[in-house]
């Protein structure tokens, strides 16, 4: 039989695909005008920030003079600038001092200036790699701001981040309570109250005002702004950045996200929480009184992973704080902790939904099968071994489906000579060939779709694994063989240069997975080609499979080189087991002679009544043939 060569249409197709990829890459390059505009914008922002800093230093200097000397002139200057809130600048607490709240899990440092957290350290986790000695710090070095814009009755616009709060620390049982008050008088204030319980990542945050109904303009809500530049905490900044996202719950229990890329924005209503989620850690603001509206903004800060190595994303949230009877009164919470499914789920606030486990059936597979099963296995065996055992259990459970798929291929392979004969017999009448082929399938009791359906059933499990392993917090910094972190790439060779799309290192598990995929596809492609003869007007599947044998392993090598080692290990073991199951089934369970005899016996029996689908397909073919006959007569 003459071997089919690469035809002109295929060559043109590949050239067009390549051309489209080049065009997309070209289009995504920023224009010089856009770059210049961005630069000018940054310079303008920097100048405004510098001017604000100088003004703030002038206010602080005046405040110090008032406190130390009681200078009435300086006090008048403060009142001119700050109005009633000049009172807060005259208190002894108007200094660059801090108060620390701490339990076994977190350490929070709250500044007098702004009244917000300037350091949030997670005491159980290290950044980059195990043994680095550097704890994960979600907040530090002014990467985060919480600010409320205060609109006063005398037409001033003040920012709480620039004003001084008065701290008061107390304990109720084992709970630490820190009251931070921004005062406009002895008994008039805006209060942030922080409540830290033992062994808890969740921090109570009550925001209220007292006696400010005559100081603040209560005709419209105040604007609260929370922004954060998220620090890199993992080995691969590009991989970590892929899973950094703003999630939010709104309108009851709907979970959504802002999106990846530059300047992404959403404006959800009735928001219950806003999560600044990094790959494995999150800062979340929750409220008992939903925010009526919100403006959420996200932008990517990693343009070049060789240079942009400190931050991943810039997150920003703006929400209104509504007055009730002239005062503010919000019961809220802050969560500073791991993006761990079990930890978040324990709070019973739908926080676990920020973990991207996949939509629909993929999410259900992860929640009902993968998470419980892997959690059980990893509770008493090492994580690398747990992945192997987990994979074996999943593949063995799917083996009946695999068996049906291979059995269907074997039947189709036996029928191929007769199908080829029909193809030659009705070479000039494709419609008749299709009809006779369907009749042959029906007589032999073979369903041509039987091999596809089992494969389709396995697809959701495969896709679920692609969501599960990158989200499995428990794999973070867990070692196995040469991999020191199953949640990151398993580098075995560091390259002195960077290969585009591949990286500057070589990971071993993706290579092993690629080899396993190659041999699996090599073993199955022959059967698939034999099982599925070329149909008129349909793509040449044999030719496509010939290319896929090499394309699939290549894609595994390129794209998985910087993925988590746990996912590559799973894919390697999964394909290895599938190859083993396939060999066993072919050797011990599938006998071509018996299948052929059974098919011949089926042909002698009364043909089975075709299914509704087959009937409709047959009717469609007959109608098409009738129309063709009428056209030929004309």
């Amino acid at each position: 039989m003459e071997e089919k060569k690469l035809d002109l249409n295929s060559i043109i197709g590949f050239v067009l695909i390549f051309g489209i990829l080049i065009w997309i890459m070209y289009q995504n390059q920023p224009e010089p005008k856009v770059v210049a505009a961005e630069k000018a914008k940054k310079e303008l922002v920097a100048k405004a920030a510098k001017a604000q800093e100088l003004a703030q230093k002038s206010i602080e200097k005046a405040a110090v003079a008032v406190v130390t000397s009681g200078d009435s002139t300086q006090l008048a200057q403060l009142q001119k600038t700050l109005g009633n809130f000049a009172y807060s600048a005259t208190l002894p607490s108007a200094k660059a001092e801090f108060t620390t709240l701490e339990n076994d899990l977190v350490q929070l440092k709250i500044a007098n200036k702004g009244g917000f957290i300037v350091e949030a350290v997670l005491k159980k986790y290290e950044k980059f790699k195990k043994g680095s000695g550097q704890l994960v710090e979600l907040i530090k070095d002014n990467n985060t701001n919480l600010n409320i814009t205060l609109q006063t009755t005398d037409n001033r616009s003040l920012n709480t981040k620039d004003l001084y709060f008065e701290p008061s620390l107390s304990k109720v049982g084992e709970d630490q309570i820190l009251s931070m008050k921004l005062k406009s008088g002895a008994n008039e204030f805006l209060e942030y109250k922080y409540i830290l319980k033992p062994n808890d990542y969740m921090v109570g945050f009550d925001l209220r005002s007292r006696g400010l109904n005559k100081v603040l303009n209560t005709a419209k809500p105040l604007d609260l702004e929370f922004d954060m530049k998220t620090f890199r905490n993992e080995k691969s900044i590009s991989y970590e950045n892929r899973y950094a996202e703003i999630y939010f719950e709104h309108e009851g229990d709907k979970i959504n996200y802002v999106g990846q890329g530059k300047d992404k924005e959403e404006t959800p209503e009735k928001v219950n929480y806003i999560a600044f989620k990094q790959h494995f850690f999150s800062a979340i603001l929750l409220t008992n009184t939903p925010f009526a509206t919100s403006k959420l903004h996200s932008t990517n800060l990693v343009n070049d992973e060789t240079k942009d190595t400190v931050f991943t994303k810039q997150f920003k949230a703006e929400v209104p704080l509504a007055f009730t009877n002239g005062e503010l009164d919000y019961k809220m919470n802050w969560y500073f902790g791991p993006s761990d499914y079990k930890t978040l789920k324990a709070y019973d606030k739908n926080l676990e939904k920020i973990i991207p486990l996949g939509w629909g059936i993929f999410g259900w597979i992860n929640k009902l099968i993968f998470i419980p099963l892997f959690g059980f296995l990893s509770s008493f065996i090492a994580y690398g071994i747990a992945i192997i055992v987990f994979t074996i259990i999943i593949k063995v459970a799917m083996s009946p489906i695999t068996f049906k798929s291979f059995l269907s291929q074997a039947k189709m392979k036996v029928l191929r000579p007769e199908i080829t004969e029909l193809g030659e017999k009705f070479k000039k009448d494709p419609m008749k060939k299709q009809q006779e082929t369907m009749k042959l399938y029906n007589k032999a009791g073979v369903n041509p779709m039987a091999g596809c359906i089992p494969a389709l059933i396995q697809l959701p499990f495969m896709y679920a694994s692609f969501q599960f392993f990158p989200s499995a917090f428990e794999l973070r910094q867990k070692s196995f063989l040469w991999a020191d972190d199953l949640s990151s790439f398993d580098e075995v060779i560091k390259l002195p240069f960077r290969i585009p799309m591949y990286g500057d290192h070589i990971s071993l598990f993706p290579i092993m997975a690629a080899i396993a995929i190659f041999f699996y596809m090599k073993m199955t492609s022959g059967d698939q080609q034999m099982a599925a003869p070329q149909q008129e007007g349909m793509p040449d599947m044999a030719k496509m499979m010939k290319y896929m044998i090499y394309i699939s392993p290549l894609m595994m090598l390129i794209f998985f080189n910087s993925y988590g080692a746990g996912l590559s290990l799973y894919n390697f073991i999964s394909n290895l087991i599938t190859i083993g199951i396939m060999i066993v089934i072919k050797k011990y369970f599938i006998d071509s002679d018996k299948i052929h005899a059974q098919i011949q016996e089926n042909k002698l029996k009364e043909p089975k009544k075709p299914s509704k689908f087959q009937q409709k397909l047959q009717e469609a073919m007959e109608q098409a043939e009738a129309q063709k006959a009428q056209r030929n007569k004309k």
Side-chain angles (χ1 to χ4, degrees):
M1 186 174 180
E2 185 181 357
E3 182 180 353
K4 292 186 179 180
K5 297 181 180 179
L6 189 67
D7 56 38
L8 181 61
N9 289 337
S10 297
I11 295 173
I12 293 172
F14 282 118
V15 170
L16 287 174
I17 291 171
F18 181 75
I20 290 169
L21 289 173
I22 296 297
W23 180 80
I24 291 172
M25 292 173 65
Y26 177 77
Q27 288 295 317
N28 285 334
Q29 290 182 345
E31 296 180 6
K33 291 182 180 180
V34 175
V35 173
E38 284 290 329
K39 185 177 179 182
K41 183 180 177 181
K42 289 180 180 178
E43 289 176 354
L44 190 63
V45 171
K47 287 181 181 179
K50 187 67 176 177
Q52 185 177 3
E53 183 182 348
L54 292 173
Q56 183 60 26
K57 285 182 177 179
S58 176
I59 293 172
E60 290 174 359
K61 187 176 180 181
V64 170
V66 172
V67 172
T68 56
S69 64
D71 191 329
S72 58
T73 304
Q74 296 287 358
L75 178 59
Q77 181 64 34
L78 281 175
Q79 289 175 334
K80 183 179 178 181
T81 307
L82 303 177
N84 292 67
F85 288 101
Y87 180 87
S88 64
T90 66
L91 299 174
S93 56
K95 299 176 185 177
E97 294 181 346
F98 310 91
T99 306
T100 299
L101 298 179
E102 185 174 4
N103 60 20
D104 292 338
L105 302 179
V106 297
Q107 178 181 299
L108 306 175
K109 188 176 178 181
I110 296 93
N112 288 7
K113 184 180 179 182
F116 189 59
I117 300 165
V118 291
E119 288 184 12
V121 181
L122 304 184
K123 299 166 70 173
K124 299 290 185 181
Y125 303 105
E126 294 176 291
K127 61 172 64 175
F128 307 134
K129 64 179 182 179
K130 190 174 183 179
S132 68
Q134 303 177 66
L135 295 177
V136 170
E137 298 168 295
L138 297 183
I139 300 177
K140 70 167 185 174
D141 298 338
N142 299 316
N143 74 309
T144 300
N145 275 307
L146 180 82
N147 180 64
I148 299 175
T149 304
L150 304 175
Q151 303 294 339
T152 66
T153 53
D154 53 0
N155 295 320
R156 287 184 173 83
S157 181
L158 304 174
N159 294 311
T160 58
K161 66 180 181 180
D162 298 326
L163 305 176
Y164 284 95
F165 287 66
E166 183 181 54
S168 175
L169 182 62
S170 61
K171 290 192 73 174
V172 176
E174 295 186 17
D175 296 352
Q176 302 169 62
I177 300 175
L178 175 63
S179 170
M180 303 292 293
K181 293 180 179 178
L182 172 62
K183 294 186 172 181
S184 65
N187 298 307
E188 296 85 37
F189 55 84
L190 172 68
E191 181 186 35
Y192 298 165
K193 183 186 287 185
Y194 299 90
I195 305 166
L196 182 62
K197 298 178 179 180
N199 199 40
D200 201 345
Y201 293 107
M202 191 73 74
V203 183
F205 182 62
D206 296 347
L207 190 156
R208 65 174 187 140
S209 66
R210 288 294 178 269
L212 296 184
N213 54 331
K214 294 182 180 179
V215 177
L216 298 177
N217 179 2
T218 61
K220 61 179 182 178
L222 299 181
D223 293 326
L224 182 147
E225 181 181 303
F226 174 46
D227 65 81
M228 171 183 279
K229 290 172 71 175
T230 54
F231 281 110
R232 170 194 179 186
N233 290 305
E234 311 304 325
K235 188 162 60 174
S236 171
I237 191 168
S238 59
Y239 188 54
E240 178 181 7
N241 193 37
R242 188 179 293 119
Y243 297 98
E245 189 82 76
I246 297 181
Y247 283 85
F248 53 92
E249 183 184 63
H250 63 121
E251 295 180 350
D253 59 356
K254 295 179 182 178
I255 307 297
N256 216 323
Y257 55 91
V258 172
Q260 299 278 348
K262 287 282 186 182
D263 297 321
K264 298 295 182 179
E265 191 169 284
E266 291 289 335
T267 54
E269 299 179 348
K270 299 178 182 178
V271 176
N272 299 319
Y273 68 70
I274 300 166
F276 290 175
K277 179 188 174 294
Q278 298 169 248
H279 189 180
F280 288 125
F281 301 97
S282 294
I284 308 174
L285 174 62
L286 306 93
T287 176
N288 291 354
T289 305
F291 302 122
T293 60
S294 66
K295 183 178 179 181
L296 309 178
H297 182 270
S298 172
T299 194
N300 180 33
L301 299 179
V302 183
N303 298 310
D304 183 347
E305 62 180 280
T306 61
K307 298 177 182 177
D308 305 324
T309 59
V310 179
F311 301 103
T312 56
K313 290 285 198 318
Q314 172 77 62
F315 294 145
K316 185 176 181 180
E318 297 177 35
V319 296
L321 298 177
F323 288 94
T324 304
N325 298 323
E327 301 288 0
L328 297 174
D329 191 4
Y330 279 81
K331 299 287 185 182
M332 297 190 283
N333 291 92
W334 289 104
Y335 174 87
F336 299 105
S339 302
D340 175 46
Y341 184 85
K342 293 178 182 176
T343 302
L344 294 172
K345 188 174 177 61
Y347 288 106
D348 196 26
K349 295 180 181 292
N350 286 336
L351 297 180
E352 73 278 3
K353 292 184 178 180
I354 71 171
I355 309 298
L357 296 175
W359 54 271
I361 188 173
F362 312 116
W364 287 113
I365 289 172
N366 276 322
K367 293 171 189 175
L368 300 179
I369 300 175
F370 284 10
I371 290 176
L373 177 59
F374 189 75
F376 170 72
L377 294 172
S378 60
S379 66
F380 60 89
I381 55 178
Y383 284 91
I385 302 298
I387 291 176
I388 295 173
V389 176
F390 171 84
T391 310
I392 292 172
I393 293 173
I394 295 296
K395 296 307 291 185
V396 169
M398 301 291 288
S399 59
I401 297 174
T402 306
F403 174 77
K404 288 185 178 181
S405 180
F406 289 152
L407 181 61
S408 175
Q409 287 181 16
K411 289 180 178 180
M412 293 291 291
K413 185 177 179 181
V414 169
L415 281 178
R416 183 177 174 87
E418 296 181 52
I419 296 172
T420 303
E421 186 180 336
L422 289 174
E424 290 296 326
K425 184 177 180 181
F426 300 103
K427 192 173 183 178
K428 296 182 179 180
D429 192 347
M431 189 62 66
K432 184 68 175 176
K433 183 180 76 171
Q434 290 282 6
Q435 291 175 340
E436 292 301 319
T437 301
M438 292 300 294
K439 286 180 182 177
L440 175 62
Y441 288 149
N442 192 35
K443 284 182 180 180
V446 174
N447 184 354
M449 297 299 294
C452 300
I453 294 172
L456 290 174
I457 293 173
Q458 295 183 69
L459 278 177
F461 286 84
M462 184 184 71
Y463 181 79
S465 71
F466 279 82
Q467 298 293 112
F468 170 71
F469 283 100
S471 301
F473 180 85
E474 53 266 52
L475 294 181
R476 185 177 185 269
Q477 296 181 358
K478 298 300 188 299
S479 61
F480 180 65
L481 299 178
W482 56 85
D484 58 4
D485 186 349
L486 286 168
S487 72
S488 189
F489 57 82
D490 57 309
E491 176 186 305
V492 290
I493 298 176
K494 181 71 175 179
L495 300 175
F497 51 85
R498 177 173 291 274
I499 302 173
M501 297 177 67
Y502 185 74
D504 59 357
H505 64 275
I506 296 176
S507 299
L508 185 52
F509 278 131
I511 294 175
M512 295 167 64
I515 293 171
I517 288 174
F518 174 79
F519 281 106
Y520 166 71
M521 297 191 72
K522 194 78 172 174
M523 292 174 70
T524 58
S525 61
D527 288 344
Q528 289 172 352
Q529 290 173 32
M530 291 292 291
Q534 173 69 17
Q535 300 294 328
E536 191 73 28
M538 298 296 288
D540 190 341
M541 297 303 297
K543 188 184 294 184
M544 291 178 65
M545 284 303 300
K546 190 187 298 183
Y547 297 135
M548 288 304 297
I549 289 172
Y550 301 98
I551 292 173
S552 294
L554 183 62
M555 290 176 64
M556 170 66 74
L557 281 175
I558 293 173
F559 295 110
F560 278 62
N561 190 57
S562 294
Y563 266 64
L567 180 59
S568 297
L569 173 60
Y570 171 82
N571 277 283
F572 168 64
I573 299 297
S574 178
N575 283 288
L576 207 62
I577 294 171
T578 303
I579 291 171
I581 290 174
M582 183 175 65
I583 292 172
V584 170
I585 290 174
K586 283 186 174 182
K587 188 172 183 179
Y588 297 105
F589 294 95
I590 293 180
D591 187 326
S592 296
D593 293 336
K594 287 184 178 180
I595 291 173
H596 183 268
Q598 183 64 50
I599 288 176
Q600 298 308 316
E601 185 180 333
N602 289 343
K603 287 181 182 179
L604 300 175
K605 295 178 182 179
E606 186 73 20
K608 292 182 179 179
K609 185 180 179 180
S611 66
K612 290 184 178 179
F613 172 76
Q614 289 175 323
Q615 288 177 350
K616 288 183 178 180
L617 185 62
Q618 184 70 23
E619 289 172 3
M621 289 180 179
E622 290 173 356
Q623 288 176 4
E625 190 164 0
Q627 291 173 359
K628 181 180 177 182
Q630 288 180 357
R631 286 196 300 268
N632 291 336
K633 287 180 180 180
K634 293 179 182 180

